[in-house]
């Protein structure tokens, strides 16, 4: 079917290789001239709005500097995406490089990653996509209900840490979140979705992108690099410093960031434990980030509001690593 869709909508003949994905079908397209592209398709009704967001956001990033993003290839009729007999999809270029999760997380690389993420957010702030307000499972607005999934958590201390983090979010962060700057965000800059290239850090997989607090992108990215228990923020200091060198953090953002990081780690654990229960055959892929989130949460748990804010302020005001 992928070969047929490529020929019909793009006039291309290519070989196809399946790639891992959860909701949409993602394949690598290998053209005879050596180029590699990515084709995303879906038969789910909600994919229409998702693909409208993804293609609109990616197209809106073209020409922006400081990061790398894919390019959406237009169909033979000039559209950003296609619809055909219950199937919708789009074709994009592939970013060549090393996924961040496979790279050595040096202070310099994390600093550059933070800078690139801030540049991405500045560019996304100029993007106007109506589908940004569609329902998204990973939207911060869902977090107050995620404790309904705690029955799927493994037994042990991590369940207590997750519960404490989510209660802290509901009692401390949620009442203040409307005062933050909101815009179109990537909403999933994980180490699997950030690519280290020869030019700059690249960003892929905009499927969870939506209208949310701008600082959410930093909280998500930083939450994934909390690995060193000898540092207050586990090594996320360097990424935060890079981001703040482009977009200075407000007092409220600095105060809420650690709680947002802990809530995101907990949301990731809750949602992926639940989804792996629903789809056991895909459990290994679905839970690829869970161990990292559990380790990061254990490092951040001792920080209270005051010490967390102090650590973020110190990181944001630090010089180049």
């Amino acid at each position: 079917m992928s070969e047929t869709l490529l020929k019909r909508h793009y006039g291309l003949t290519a070989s196809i290789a399946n790639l891992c994905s959860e909701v949409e079908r993602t394949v690598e397209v290998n053209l005879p001239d050596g180029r590699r592209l990515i084709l995303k398709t879906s038969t789910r009704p909600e994919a229409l709005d998702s693909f409208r967001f993804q293609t609109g956001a990616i197209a809106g990033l073209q020409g922006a500097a400081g990061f790398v993003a894919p390019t959406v290839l237009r169909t033979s009729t000039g559209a950003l995406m296609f619809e055909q007999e219950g199937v919708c999809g789009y074709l994009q270029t592939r970013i060549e490089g090393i996924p961040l999760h496979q790279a050595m997380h040096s202070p310099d690389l994390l600093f550059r990653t933070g800078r690139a993420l801030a540049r991405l957010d500045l560019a996304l702030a100029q993007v106007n996509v109506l589908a940004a307000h569609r329902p998204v499972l990973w939207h911060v607005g869902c977090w107050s209900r995620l404790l309904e999934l705690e029955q799927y958590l493994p037994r042990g201390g991590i369940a207590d840490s997750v519960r404490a983090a989510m209660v802290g979010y509901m009692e401390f962060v949620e009442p203040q979140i409307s005062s933050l700057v909101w815009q179109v965000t990537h909403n999933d800059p994980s180490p699997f979705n950030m690519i280290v290239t020869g030019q700059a850090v690249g960003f892929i997989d905009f499927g969870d992108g939506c209208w949310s607090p701008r600082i959410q992108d930093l909280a998500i990215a930083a939450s994934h690099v909390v690995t060193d228990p000898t540092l207050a923020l586990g090594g996320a200091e360097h990424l935060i410093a890079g981001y703040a060198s482009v977009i200075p953090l407000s007092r409220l953002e600095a105060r809420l960031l650690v709680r947002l990081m802990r809530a995101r780690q907990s949301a990731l654990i809750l949602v992926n434990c639940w989804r792996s229960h629903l789809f056991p055959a895909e459990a290994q892929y679905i839970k690829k980030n869970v161990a990292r989130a559990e380790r990061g949460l254990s490092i951040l748990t001792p920080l209270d509001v005051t010490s967390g804010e102090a650590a973020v302020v110190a990181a944001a005001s630090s010089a180049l690593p």
Side-chain angles (χ1 to χ4, degrees):
M1 180 180 288
S2 295
E3 293 175 353
T4 300
L5 292 170
L6 276 172
K7 186 65 175 178
R8 179 172 299 180
H9 296 287
Y10 298 95
L12 295 175
T13 301
S15 61
I16 301 297
N18 287 322
L19 299 175
C20 290
S21 58
E22 289 183 53
V23 179
E24 55 210 23
R25 174 178 166 82
T26 305
V27 301
E28 181 180 271
V29 176
N30 296 285
L31 299 177
D33 61 8
R35 287 182 297 156
R36 295 195 297 172
L37 307 173
I38 299 293
L39 175 67
K40 295 193 175 189
T41 58
S42 180
T43 56
R44 295 170 177 262
E46 64 269 22
L48 274 173
D49 273 344
S50 178
F51 286 168
R52 285 168 184 154
F53 174 87
Q54 293 179 52
T55 56
I58 294 172
L61 294 175
Q62 300 309 301
F67 62 92
V68 178
T71 299
V72 176
L73 279 66
R74 292 186 178 269
T75 67
S76 302
T77 61
L80 290 173
M81 58 178 287
F82 61 84
E83 300 177 49
Q84 174 190 320
E85 299 172 356
V87 179
C88 61
Y90 71 94
L91 185 65
Q92 67 172 53
T93 57
R94 179 180 178 123
I95 296 178
E96 301 295 342
I98 302 173
L100 188 64
H101 74 95
Q102 295 179 357
M104 181 68 69
H105 287 184
S106 67
D108 176 67
L109 176 58
L110 292 178
F111 187 89
R112 290 189 287 114
T113 300
R115 284 183 63 86
L117 180 60
R119 296 292 184 190
L120 173 68
D121 278 344
L122 289 177
L124 285 174
Q126 308 303 314
V127 172
N128 183 15
V129 185
L130 292 178
H133 297 278
R134 73 197 185 286
V136 175
L137 173 63
W138 290 101
H139 192 275
V140 68
C142 298
W143 289 5
S144 61
R145 296 189 59 186
L146 288 184
L147 278 180
E148 297 174 16
L149 305 176
E150 64 179 323
Q151 61 183 297
Y152 301 103
L153 292 175
R155 294 180 180 178
I158 193 63
D160 293 334
S161 296
V162 166
R163 190 176 301 108
M166 298 310 291
V167 170
Y169 168 79
M170 289 184 285
E171 293 181 350
F172 183 74
V173 178
E174 194 170 43
Q176 305 181 76
I177 203 168
S178 62
S179 299
L180 295 170
V181 175
W182 288 60
Q183 62 165 71
V184 171
T185 62
H186 182 285
N187 201 41
D188 191 21
S190 78
F192 285 81
N193 293 335
M194 295 187 283
I195 310 296
V196 182
T197 77
Q199 299 170 284
V201 176
F203 298 90
I204 62 172
D205 196 352
F206 287 74
D208 290 324
C210 57
W211 185 263
S212 68
R214 181 180 63 195
I215 196 67
Q216 183 69 353
D217 273 350
L218 176 58
I220 294 167
S223 72
H224 281 285
V225 298
V226 179
T227 59
D228 186 349
T230 66
L231 298 172
L233 299 176
E237 287 89 343
H238 310 300
L239 192 147
I240 293 169
Y243 190 96
S245 71
V246 177
I247 303 178
L249 303 185
S250 70
R251 173 68 186 276
L252 181 59
E253 288 172 333
R255 191 165 179 78
L256 299 184
L257 183 58
V258 169
R259 290 298 180 101
L260 281 168
M261 290 167 63
R262 288 172 53 189
R264 172 64 184 203
Q265 290 164 336
S266 300
L268 188 151
I269 295 167
L270 284 161
V271 170
N272 286 325
C273 286
W274 165 60
R275 286 184 58 78
S276 64
H277 175 79
L278 294 178
F279 308 106
E282 305 296 331
Q284 183 176 357
Y285 175 76
I286 291 172
K287 297 180 70 174
K288 63 183 183 293
N289 287 318
V290 169
R292 183 189 298 109
E294 291 177 347
R295 177 173 172 79
L297 182 59
S298 69
I299 293 172
L300 294 182
T301 292
L303 293 173
D304 60 19
V305 173
T306 301
S307 59
E309 179 182 0
V312 170
V313 170
S317 59
S318 65
L320 291 171

